[in-house]
Amino acid sequence: MKNLLKHILVLAILLPLSSLSSSVESFPQELFQAERDQPRLQKLFRWDNRIVAQAGEFYFEIDPVKCTSMPIHFVGDRSMISLTTALGKPFALGGNGDHYRVLFHRSGKNDWDMIRVPQNEEGKEDRYSIIVGDENSLVLLGQKSFKIFNGKNWINRDYSNEFSPSNSDPCVLWRGNVYYGYDRGEWGGGLRKLDLSTGQWKEVTGKLPTVDYSKPQGQLVFVDDTPLSNVTDISITPDDNLKIICGCSHMGMYWGQIARVSDNDLVNELYISVRNDNNEWDFPVTDFDALRFNNDGDQVLLSPRLGLLTYRNDEWKRLTPHWEDHAYLTSFLILNNDQYLLGTYDAGIVMIDLKKKTEKVIRLATSFYKWEEK
């Protein structure tokens, strides 16, 4: 009888503990329940003291307080093509056929000034799709040529080898060179650098890890002149370094990588793969979408399988430990150390508060199409 009472007492203690552990709910939830009927979002970024979402050829201003979005429209019949910050000002590129204009905001004025982009010579017409900039210049990238604006004059140069960039891909102007990343899913991707003095596009490589598939579970080997693949984000760090984020998930194969540009070469910082037995990673293997820095200067990484992670005291820690499943994400922004905007592939933007455990879906547009899985 005494033994029976002991067993009953143990069960009485364990049952509440088990029910408590099973009651821990996943967070966020609305992210995985949102209607997949929104424009396909490529980027979330800051521009002209605004938060901007890019979805193809459309741009939206996001209000995180009201959780609303508003389209950004170029003056006249020109379409909005690209946005950037250069020469200490926000710039916008708009176009109509072969005629392009650049808007910029002059300090101390409420309106915007317009600059006509010089047309190319006859027979050398081009289509420009990206503007990038730094404190010294603005660069327009076309399919065959590029233009540099120093605040007063334009310089036009042809590419020495043709390369057609897209404004949906990550691109930055850093230390006098343009770095352009691209991700084509299971078909790969890479990182290219444009030398503004020569017009040459070059694949950026380094001594990077690759998986040796000749062995059953794979083994990492470092090989010289190895290019990156599936570049999903390019991030300039607070101390002016350039970090490249890569990753891909396809048919159960996951891998992710963070690399750094150093002396025109690539240095590996983190590489994980389901085919690698020696992952420097205490979590399930995942691909990576984007990297940002919080108010403390810590790296914050976005992962479709794990949500948000931060790098502190030489280790990665999960900010969203109860992340439910794989989510279709593209980008994110840090509002503060508790609040984040998560950009989804086609379900709008989800604002989450890690401290309050609240979330809100921000829709970009009204849709006449509803996603149905069959």
Side-chain angles (χ1 to χ4, degrees), residues 177-225:
N177 295 300
V178 172
Y179 288 85
Y180 174 85
Y182 57 103
D183 172 24
R184 301 297 179 260
E186 60 266 35
W187 291 279
L191 177 70
R192 295 197 177 187
K193 181 184 74 172
L194 173 63
D195 187 328
L196 297 181
S197 62
T198 65
Q200 182 180 16
W201 283 104
K202 180 183 177 182
E203 193 82 25
V204 185
T205 63
K207 190 171 184 178
L208 300 177
T210 59
V211 177
D212 185 354
Y213 289 100
S214 64
K215 299 186 177 181
Q217 294 300 320
Q219 180 178 324
L220 285 184
V221 293
F222 284 78
V223 181
D224 290 329
D225 298 323

Side-chain angles (χ1 to χ4, degrees), residues 53-68:
Q54 178 187 347
E57 299 178 353
F58 301 98
Y59 292 83
F60 302 86
E61 180 180 356
I62 306 302
D63 186 334
V65 176
K66 298 179 180 178
C67 290
T68 58

Side-chain angles (χ1 to χ4, degrees), residues 18-288:
S18 62
S19 62
L20 178 64
S21 61
S22 63
S23 66
V24 176
E25 294 184 349
S26 61
F27 176 81
Q29 292 185 350
E30 291 190 27
L31 171 66
F32 298 94
Q33 299 168 3
E35 293 274 4
R36 295 182 59 186
D37 61 353
Q38 293 295 284
R40 295 181 177 178
L41 190 148
Q42 281 94 25
K43 300 176 186 176
L44 274 172
F45 58 97
R46 286 184 169 84
W47 176 80
D48 188 32
N49 296 318
R50 313 165 193 252
I51 294 175
V52 177
Q54 178 187 347
E57 299 178 353
F58 301 98
Y59 292 83
F60 302 86
E61 180 180 356
I62 306 302
D63 186 334
V65 176
K66 298 179 180 178
C67 290
T68 58
S69 67
M70 179 71 69
I72 300 176
H73 178 62
F74 204 101
V75 177
D77 60 351
R78 299 175 185 88
S79 61
M80 184 75 76
I81 299 174
S82 183
L83 305 174
T84 194
T85 300
L87 303 165
K89 307 180 184 73
F91 282 83
L93 174 66
N96 181 4
D98 294 327
H99 300 278
Y100 295 89
R101 303 287 187 276
V102 173
L103 282 179
F104 72 93
H105 192 256
R106 189 184 298 275
S107 177
K109 295 180 63 176
N110 293 324
D111 57 345
W112 290 71
D113 289 322
M114 186 177 292
I115 306 172
R116 179 190 293 270
V117 178
Q119 288 186 261
N120 294 355
E121 299 176 9
E122 186 175 352
K124 290 188 175 182
E125 294 84 0
D126 203 354
R127 289 193 171 275
Y128 296 90
S129 58
I130 299 178
I131 53 173
V132 291
D134 60 14
E135 65 276 6
N136 300 314
S137 58
L138 172 76
V139 179
L140 277 69
L141 300 178
Q143 296 181 345
K144 305 173 184 177
S145 63
F146 63 98
K147 298 179 185 292
I148 305 173
F149 181 63
N150 61 10
K152 295 181 179 179
N153 304 308
W154 289 93
I155 300 173
N156 186 71
R157 289 182 178 149
D158 294 332
Y159 297 142
S160 61
N161 48 331
E162 191 169 322
F163 181 67
S164 300
S166 166
N167 68 348
S168 62
D169 291 322
C171 185
V172 300
L173 177 60
W174 182 71
R175 298 185 181 179
N177 295 300
V178 172
Y179 288 85
Y180 174 85
Y182 57 103
D183 172 24
R184 301 297 179 260
E186 60 266 35
W187 291 279
L191 177 70
R192 295 197 177 187
K193 181 184 74 172
L194 173 63
D195 187 328
L196 297 181
S197 62
T198 65
Q200 182 180 16
W201 283 104
K202 180 183 177 182
E203 193 82 25
V204 185
T205 63
K207 190 171 184 178
L208 300 177
T210 59
V211 177
D212 185 354
Y213 289 100
S214 64
K215 299 186 177 181
Q217 294 300 320
Q219 180 178 324
L220 285 184
V221 293
F222 284 78
V223 181
D224 290 329
D225 298 323
T226 299
L228 291 172
S229 183
N230 300 96
V231 174
T232 56
D233 192 27
I234 301 175
S235 184
I236 298 176
T237 69
D239 56 353
D240 195 37
N241 284 305
L242 197 65
K243 294 204 175 184
I244 316 300
I245 315 305
C246 308
C248 184
S249 62
H250 179 63
M251 298 180 67
M253 296 292 292
Y254 293 94
W255 69 270
Q257 184 172 17
I258 301 176
R260 185 181 75 255
V261 176
S262 176
D263 297 328
N264 297 319
D265 288 329
L266 290 168
V267 176
N268 182 70
E269 291 196 348
L270 175 67
Y271 183 91
I272 60 172
S273 169
V274 294
R275 293 299 303 270
N276 175 28
D277 278 344
N278 301 308
N279 288 313
E280 299 177 10
W281 192 254
D282 296 328
F283 315 108
V285 176
T286 178
D287 47 324
F288 301 148

